[in-house]
Amino acid sequence: MRESSGDRITRIGISFLLLLISISCLAPVINILSVSFSGKQAVETGKVLLWPVDATLQSYSALFEGTRVLASLWNGVVMTVGGVIISMVFTICAAYPLSKGYFYGRRTFTLLLLFTMVFTGGLIPTYLVVKSLGLIDSYWAIWLPGAVSTYNMLIMRSYFESMEPEIEEAARIDGCKEWTLLFRIILPLSMPVMATLILFYGVGYWNSFMNVLIYINSTEKYTITVLIQQMIASQSLLTEALVNDSQAMLLVPEGIRSAGIIVLILPMVLIYPFLQKYFVKGVMLGSVKG
């Protein structure tokens, strides 16, 4: 079917609008990246826009030598990996039975889960519950209260429901029990939605900030998100990052802040391309029913 002139103009207009939106999203990140690689004088005089001026790695050197960024990175990895594993296990265990029409109480349990999307217990009651369980200053205080996202569970449930029933029937004829069916048939066929939810949960845990401040008391357990926030808010912490006078003469706090922000976002940027091929397919197929 031939494209009309009106459709062509509309397509070009939408493409141009999306291009402007993309540039508006990328420009601040590129500017921060450029500042992190630029020299002190260029940053102080505002010469840095979208390209490094007087390129140097001094900001990154000061960041890794003068702050706890490596320890915070490791803490972030531990919290993210542990949280993703726990959340995926709970999400699968909730979504699989709810996807079966013969599951007794399916509608009731679904409504109870949907209720949590509208009403929550609130910060203070949640904190009191976490404290009574002895989870304060532990990553379990972050993992357990948010172990299941109802939205993510509904995506996975819808994906399970979209599978052809003949697959399950053939497996049961071959003698598959429920757990064997789930782990050897259903989950291998659910890689698109699983990769999508791993990305959702991973980004959520990696960027977790407020929960870490509320539940984690030991500074050595802080993640990089909290460390970068403290660097932005505290001038003294940035001053400590300048491990010697020569660095202080070559660096500006804004460069160290920018380097910290780049280190914060880099892991997710590196992981996303490996999951991108599953991302759109997982969301679209998982939202056919619901």
Side-chain angles (χ1 to χ4, degrees), residues 80-91 140 143-144 147-148 205:
T80 301
V81 172
V84 167
I85 293 174
I86 292 172
S87 293
M88 288 301 298
V89 169
F90 276 83
T91 301
W140 288 101
W143 291 335
L144 291 184
V148 177
Y205 281 113

Side-chain angles (χ1 to χ4, degrees), residues 35 40 43-44 59 231 234-235 238-239 242 248 251-259:
V35 170
K40 178 179 180 179
V43 175
E44 289 181 332
S59 295
M231 289 175 56
S234 174
Q235 187 69 27
L238 288 173
T239 303
L242 305 176
L251 294 175
V252 63
E254 188 63 32
I256 303 177
R257 291 193 189 101
S258 300

Side-chain angles (χ1 to χ4, degrees), residues 22 46 75 89 98 107 113 125 159 179 204 217 231-232 254 272 280 287:
S22 301
N75 291 339
V89 169
L98 292 176
R107 178 178 175 83
L113 288 169
Y159 192 93
W179 288 105
N217 298 329
M231 289 175 56
I232 294 174
E254 188 63 32
Y272 181 78
V280 175
S287 60

Side-chain angles (χ1 to χ4, degrees), residues 102-180:
Y102 54 80
F103 176 61
Y104 181 77
R106 176 189 184 210
R107 178 178 175 83
T108 302
F109 283 109
T110 302
L111 290 176
L112 288 174
L113 288 169
L114 289 173
F115 182 83
T116 64
M117 297 182 68
V118 183
F119 302 99
T120 62
L123 177 60
I124 295 177
T126 303
Y127 181 85
L128 293 176
V129 171
V130 171
K131 184 178 180 180
S132 66
L133 294 174
L135 301 179
I136 296 297
D137 204 27
S138 166
Y139 291 144
W140 288 101
I142 300 171
W143 291 335
L144 291 184
V148 177
S149 165
T150 304
Y151 174 77
N152 292 344
M153 187 279 295
L154 292 176
I155 291 178
M156 179 163 282
R157 190 199 70 169
S158 298
Y159 192 93
F160 289 157
E161 290 177 340
S162 68
M163 289 185 176
E164 296 296 335
E166 289 79 7
I167 297 176
E168 181 178 343
E169 293 172 3
R172 292 190 184 280
I173 291 174
D174 290 338
C176 278
K177 301 299 183 182
E178 206 67 56
W179 288 105
T180 305

Side-chain angles (χ1 to χ4, degrees), residues 24 38 41 74 79 89 94-95 115 143 149 181 185 219 233 251 287:
S24 68
S38 297
Q41 185 177 359
W74 175 249
M79 191 178 75
V89 169
F115 182 83
W143 291 335
S149 165
L181 174 64
I185 306 296
T219 56
L251 294 175
S287 60

Side-chain angles (χ1 to χ4, degrees), residues 28-39 43 48-49 56 58-61 63-64 69 224 227-229 231-232 238 251-266:
V29 178
I30 296 175
N31 176 256
I32 291 173
L33 180 64
S34 300
V35 170
S36 69
F37 283 107
S38 297
V43 175
V48 183
L49 292 177
T56 177
Q58 288 292 331
S59 295
Y60 290 92
S61 176
L63 177 68
F64 284 99
V69 66
I224 187 171
L227 177 67
I228 299 304
Q229 185 275 337
M231 289 175 56
I232 294 174
L238 288 173
L251 294 175
V252 63
E254 188 63 32
I256 303 177
R257 291 193 189 101
S258 300
I261 294 172
I262 295 301
V263 171
L264 171 63
I265 66 176
L266 188 61

